[in-house]
Amino acid sequence: MKLQRKNRLRALSLGALAVSGALALTACGSDDTSDTTGGSGASSSAKAGNIKCDDAKGQLLGIGSSAQANAVDAWRQAYAQACSGVQINYKPDGSGAGVTAFNQGQVAFAGSDSALKPEEITASKKVCKGGQGIDLPMVGGPIAVAFNVSGVDSLTLDASTLAKIFDSKITKWNDPAIKKLNPEAKLPSTKIQAFHRSDESGTTDNFTKYLKAASPNDWKYEGGKAWQAKGGQSAQGSSGLAQQVKQVDGAISYFELSYAKGIKTVDIDTGASAPVKATTENATKAIADAKVVGTGKDLALELNYATKADGAYPITLVTYEIVCDKGNKADTLAATKSFLTYTASDEGQAVLADLGYAPIPTEINAKVRETVAGIS
């Protein structure tokens, strides 16, 4: 896996595909507890491309989502090669922690898999003097539903069945509802071990929004970053969930596709002509349907989780960079604008698919670039 990542990064350096949503990624949607300042994952061979530093210097601090932590090191290191005067420190403690830190004035940016709520925007005005916090969509991607069931290599589920599994209403893998969707599979009587996030997570928020939108009769919970359904087991961060699925026979969970290396994923029956696989291409098809619902410079998106379009994977998330539209601190403004300009660039967005993420659709990304250019 390390070799594959190094090869990808070498390809980037040779092809000027440099780096993309670094910040978007780090900041956008994650919930791991590892600090990305150490460069543990990415190869230092990544080239800086056409990054413009614009006299940026000092420390750029962020906290937030772990959804894209697998890509953060590559982007951060590429930026550091071009802009050696800037040190980027990002702590992927989760979307909830990121928003809290931002509204307490602790960081220059936050990463979240969920857009700011009205009350969070109101709170941000105390930090963003003369302005407010805004959501900048930087990268998208599929939330894979991953499973580990001995003797089962492929699996199709729909929203109703998933809702019942994660609400402890379907407890055996040979349940008739699962058999109906998988008539050719040899399903064992193994107990289902459904794992959810223990920490507040934008990934949980998006996953449960899908269940609520696509199967409202089976998913009665209000939703949000905190898990609300009954039963199941929990783990910290997307990497924690992935580890549990790898280790536990009968396990099923949800996390970003980038964490599903070597793990089998569920095809989703949306009512389209065929079940839809969790791929970056299929996620991009779904995100292209999104509408900008934020006001002013806020670019919060509304996703269509109940889509039945052929080839559109419905369980997607968009990770946001949260910054002040006005009132950014003078000592971090230049670095913030420089870094976000880089993450929204063509070369930055171009690398996302290879890393398991979906680029932001062109029309939306154009608005992101315009907004970044105007922050002050």
Side-chain angles (χ1 to χ4, degrees):
M1 190 167 166
K2 289 183 178 178
L3 179 59
Q4 291 175 342
R5 294 177 69 185
K6 288 183 178 179
N7 287 339
R8 280 201 291 266
L9 293 173
R10 290 192 187 102
L12 295 180
S13 64
L14 292 172
L17 288 179
V19 189
S20 126
L23 185 53
L25 303 192
T26 46
C28 290
S30 119
D31 311 33
D32 260 353
T33 55
S34 58
D35 192 327
T36 65
T37 62
S40 58
S43 167
S44 60
S45 64
K47 299 298 183 183
N50 299 317
I51 301 172
K52 295 181 180 179
C53 304
D54 294 328
D55 298 322
K57 59 183 178 180
Q59 278 201 341
L60 196 61
L61 306 178
I63 292 177
S65 158
S66 69
Q68 303 181 46
N70 288 333
V72 170
D73 278 349
W75 286 312
R76 181 186 60 78
Q77 290 184 36
Y79 183 83
Q81 288 181 26
C83 307
S84 58
V86 180
Q87 180 183 1
I88 300 173
N89 298 308
Y90 182 78
K91 187 79 171 176
D93 286 348
S95 298
V99 172
T100 296
F102 180 79
N103 280 342
Q104 291 177 349
Q106 299 175 5
V107 294
F109 67 89
S112 180
D113 304 327
S114 302
L116 291 167
K117 297 177 181 178
E119 61 270 24
E120 293 170 338
I121 292 177
T122 298
S124 73
K125 294 179 180 180
K126 296 179 181 179
V127 175
C128 305
K129 303 301 182 184
Q132 66 173 53
I134 56 173
D135 300 286
L136 300 175
M138 281 292 180
V139 69
I143 299 174
V145 179
F147 69 98
N148 178 2
V149 183
S150 295
V152 179
D153 292 325
S154 63
L155 190 67
T156 296
L157 297 173
D158 58 15
S160 175
T161 307
L162 281 169
K164 292 173 183 176
I165 286 173
F166 281 93
D167 198 22
S168 301
K169 293 177 180 176
I170 291 179
T171 60
K172 299 286 187 180
W173 278 109
N174 62 351
D175 187 276
I178 301 177
K179 283 185 174 181
K180 184 177 180 180
L181 291 164
N182 301 273
E184 304 299 322
K186 296 181 179 179
L187 297 165
S189 60
T190 306
K191 180 181 177 181
I192 295 175
Q193 306 283 352
F195 287 89
H196 58 264
R197 291 284 287 270
S198 60
D199 50 328
E200 287 199 357
S201 162
T203 311
T204 292
D205 191 16
N206 284 276
F207 178 62
T208 55
K209 280 179 178 176
Y210 158 73
L211 296 177
K212 188 174 182 179
S215 191
N217 292 330
D218 299 303
W219 194 259
K220 302 291 188 179
Y221 301 97
E222 181 179 347
K225 295 184 180 73
W227 185 258
Q228 298 172 345
K230 301 174 183 177
Q233 302 181 61
S234 64
Q236 173 84 17
S238 294
S239 60
L241 293 180
Q243 191 64 26
Q244 291 298 324
V245 174
K246 288 179 181 179
Q247 294 177 345
V248 178
D249 186 27
I252 185 170
S253 190
Y254 59 93
F255 39 81
E256 298 74 29
L257 182 63
S258 60
Y259 287 91
K261 304 298 183 184
I263 307 176
K264 291 169 285 190
T265 60
V266 172
D267 296 342
I268 303 298
D269 184 343
T270 64
S273 61
V276 186
K277 295 185 178 297
T279 68
T280 56
E281 295 83 2
N282 292 343
T284 297
K285 290 179 184 178
I287 294 170
D289 234 8
K291 298 177 181 179
V292 176
V293 294
T295 58
K297 294 182 179 180
D298 185 69
L299 298 178
L301 301 178
E302 180 178 85
L303 299 172
N304 182 11
Y305 297 98
T307 181
K308 295 183 179 179
D310 284 348
Y313 185 78
I315 319 176
T316 58
L317 61 76
V318 170
T319 58
Y320 299 95
E321 255 351 296
I322 297 172
V323 296
C324 296
D325 59 352
K326 298 179 181 179
N328 288 277
K329 295 179 180 178
D331 58 346
T332 58
L333 175 59
T336 299
K337 291 184 70 170
S338 170
F339 193 72
L340 291 177
T341 297
Y342 177 51
T343 64
S345 68
D346 283 338
E347 62 179 351
Q349 291 289 302
V351 70
L352 294 181
D354 275 347
L355 297 171
Y357 306 108
I360 296 298
T362 303
E363 183 178 346
I364 297 173
N365 195 42
K367 295 178 181 178
V368 172
R369 295 181 193 180
E370 180 182 353
T371 302
V372 170
I375 65 175
S376 60

